[in-house]
Amino acid sequence: MSSTTTKSKVTPNLTAKDLNGNTFKAPDYTIGDIIKCIPKECFERPLLKSLSFVARDIACLFAFGYLAQTFIPQIPSKELRFAAWTTYTIVQSFPMVGLWILAHECGHQAFSQYGWINDFVGWILHSYCGNPYFSWKFSHKKHHQHTGHIDKDMVFIPPRANEWKMFRGIKKFSECAADTPLYTIGVLLVQQIVGFQTYLLIDATGQPHPELMDKWYGRLWTSHFNPMAPIFDKGDGKFILISDLGLGIVGYAVYQWIQHFGWFHCFVHWFIPYMLVNHWIVFLTYLQHTDVTLPHYEDSEWNFARGAAATIDREFGFVGWFFFHDIIETHVCHHYVSRIPFYNARKATKAIKELVGDNYAYSDENMFVTLWKSLRSCEFVEGDNGILMYRNHNGYGIPPRDD
């Protein structure tokens, strides 16, 4: 970890009020305390075990595809065929998300102890899922290094209250009427349909780069496909090009797929599942880092342990633990120690919970309900002691300061 991530000189016993009016106490333990409490066997990463999950997810892809292609065309009713194909694309996206998450494990070196195997497997799997492997790996690493840091985190960074007011063109919250649910629906649709693509293309929801805003290419320069983008470090460029090459190969394969089997075959077996993968990734990522109880920190009160604790575990049932490889249910552990493979994360989570107590964030509320609530409630953050908590102008919870 860098010197930034190990900074420990923060104010002890620091508190703030969350949106619900409950007292939030910033963690005072260290990342060293966390690592010591986790059983050593949780850090083991047997290659064959990890590869077995890749094989299982690929087998599910082929099995679901075979069943769909064999039986759905035999349905006589157009309406029922449409419903069946729709259901199939949703189900087919589940193991595809699984492969995406296994590639994500590769990027964290949680897949095995062999770095080159991790990168090779991750590059293949992420490329198939339409994701630039190395580009994502590098920017995602910075997200982990600075989770919850209002000025250095890499994704889903909430605006401060004054930034939100500036965007709305107002001086006081009292001048702005509450948004209608219709507006929230519009935000929801944009976020869930094209949110991940816009993040990759222009680093949407990432840190601003004022030095680029007066340029004609502006945000486009921060693209995950640009080897010279400011979100990457010097020397990363060649790996970004390898990521782009992987996507180019997949793009050509998709073109040949359409040429040989027709657009509909590619549409239902790959393109719609690919779009749904992006939906699920945005859905999961947003709700792992956005909740009325979660803080963000200014630099003076941030350290790695506090940032890692600014995440939340949720429940997504069978799909979550079987297809999505527990990425929802054990995300807090993943942020504390990202090299622990997912199949050891529940055991590690149990040990972490015993140490951190009330600083472990968890919710078993239906995630679709939470998504709606979070979009309405978590609009911006404010605070005056280094902890920034969510507030909104829609009348939910503690009102923001109108100054």
Side-chain angles (χ1 to χ4, degrees):
M1 285 183 281
S2 68
S3 58
T4 302
T5 62
T6 57
K7 177 170 71 72
S8 60
K9 292 183 179 180
V10 294
T11 304
N13 301 314
L14 194 64
T15 63
K17 292 292 184 181
D18 70 18
L19 186 64
N20 293 329
N22 299 316
T23 299
F24 169 81
K25 181 181 181 298
D28 290 328
Y29 49 81
T30 68
I31 189 61
D33 296 328
I34 294 291
I35 293 174
K36 289 177 184 176
C37 84
I38 299 173
K40 291 183 179 180
E41 60 268 22
C42 292
F43 295 91
E44 296 176 359
R45 302 162 289 169
L47 175 59
L48 290 181
K49 185 171 184 176
S50 296
L51 285 172
S52 72
F53 288 101
V54 175
R56 189 198 70 182
D57 288 347
I58 293 175
C60 287
L61 282 177
F62 279 98
F64 294 161
Y66 173 80
L67 292 172
Q69 196 63 42
T70 301
F71 295 106
I72 295 179
Q74 308 304 319
I75 300 175
S77 167
K78 289 183 178 180
E79 292 76 12
L80 290 178
R81 278 204 309 275
F82 176 81
W85 280 120
T86 300
T87 301
Y88 161 71
T89 58
I90 295 172
V91 172
Q92 184 71 320
S93 73
F94 295 161
M96 199 167 174
V97 171
L99 293 175
W100 194 103
I101 291 170
L102 291 174
H104 161 258
E105 293 255 306
C106 290
H108 284 293
Q109 305 303 306
F111 191 78
S112 78
Q113 60 182 316
Y114 307 105
W116 70 272
I117 292 180
N118 296 338
D119 285 340
F120 180 69
V121 172
W123 179 70
I124 291 175
L125 297 183
H126 259 173
S127 296
Y128 173 76
C129 296
N131 188 65
Y133 171 72
F134 288 104
S135 308
W136 169 262
K137 172 184 174 179
F138 295 148
S139 69
H140 190 63
K141 178 182 178 181
K142 292 182 178 181
H143 160 60
H144 272 258
Q145 288 176 330
H146 302 107
T147 304
H149 193 303
I150 194 65
D151 297 316
K152 295 181 180 180
D153 202 348
M154 294 293 289
V155 66
F156 287 124
I157 301 142
R160 298 170 188 257
N162 63 328
E163 294 170 336
W164 189 91
K165 286 192 288 187
M166 185 180 300
F167 175 75
R168 290 300 183 102
I170 63 170
K171 293 184 179 180
K172 291 182 177 293
F173 289 110
S174 56
E175 300 173 5
C176 187
D179 289 326
T180 65
L182 187 62
Y183 173 84
T184 306
I185 291 173
V187 173
L188 174 66
L189 291 175
V190 171
Q191 174 177 297
Q192 296 306 129
I193 294 174
V194 296
F196 192 64
Q197 289 91 338
T198 54
Y199 172 65
L200 293 177
L201 185 62
I202 61 172
D203 195 37
T205 78
Q207 290 290 347
H209 295 275
E211 73 278 9
L212 295 174
M213 291 304 99
D214 61 340
K215 309 293 184 182
W216 67 267
Y217 42 82
R219 270 282 188 182
L220 197 59
W221 192 254
T222 64
S223 171
H224 278 71
F225 308 106
N226 176 17
M228 294 181 287
I231 60 177
F232 303 124
D233 294 332
K234 185 178 180 180
D236 290 345
K238 58 182 177 295
F239 295 102
I240 310 308
L241 293 175
I242 294 173
S243 296
D244 295 345
L245 173 63
L247 295 183
I249 294 171
V250 170
Y252 180 74
V254 168
Y255 169 76
Q256 291 297 327
W257 190 337
I258 295 172
Q259 294 300 306
H260 286 81
F261 299 101
W263 70 268
F264 182 79
H265 192 278
C266 181
F267 189 74
V268 297
H269 292 297
W270 185 81
F271 182 74
I272 294 300
Y274 152 76
M275 292 294 292
L276 288 169
V277 167
N278 293 330
H279 150 71
W280 291 122
I281 296 304
V282 173
F283 175 74
L284 304 181
T285 305
Y286 177 72
L287 290 180
Q288 286 162 344
H289 299 90
T290 308
D291 190 82
V292 296
T293 65
L294 294 182
H296 281 72
Y297 295 94
E298 294 181 310
D299 185 70
S300 60
E301 297 298 343
W302 179 94
N303 63 23
F304 186 85
R306 285 184 171 181
T311 56
I312 186 168
D313 284 347
R314 301 187 185 275
E315 294 291 338
F316 204 56
F318 172 77
V319 172
W321 66 261
F322 184 83
F323 285 112
F324 293 178
H325 303 305
D326 268 341
I327 194 66
I328 309 168
E329 292 79 3
T330 62
H331 200 70
V332 174
C333 168
H334 175 66
H335 266 272
Y336 280 125
V337 190
S338 58
R339 67 180 181 274
I340 292 178
F342 75 90
Y343 44 79
N344 292 335
R346 284 198 181 245
K347 186 173 184 178
T349 295
K350 182 179 179 181
I352 290 170
K353 286 168 60 177
E354 293 175 357
L355 173 70
V356 306
D358 291 340
N359 283 119
Y360 171 72
Y362 169 83
S363 174
D364 60 359
E365 182 178 59
N366 182 284
M367 289 183 65
F368 292 99
V369 173
T370 305
L371 177 63
W372 177 260
K373 287 182 177 180
S374 295
L375 285 170
R376 298 287 289 166
S377 302
C378 302
E379 291 188 317
F380 47 85
V381 292
E382 67 176 15
D384 56 11
N385 65 347
I387 303 180
L388 306 173
M389 304 301 294
Y390 280 108
R391 299 289 185 263
N392 65 83
H393 82 299
N394 288 319
Y396 297 102
I398 295 179
R401 298 192 304 267
D402 204 358
D403 50 19

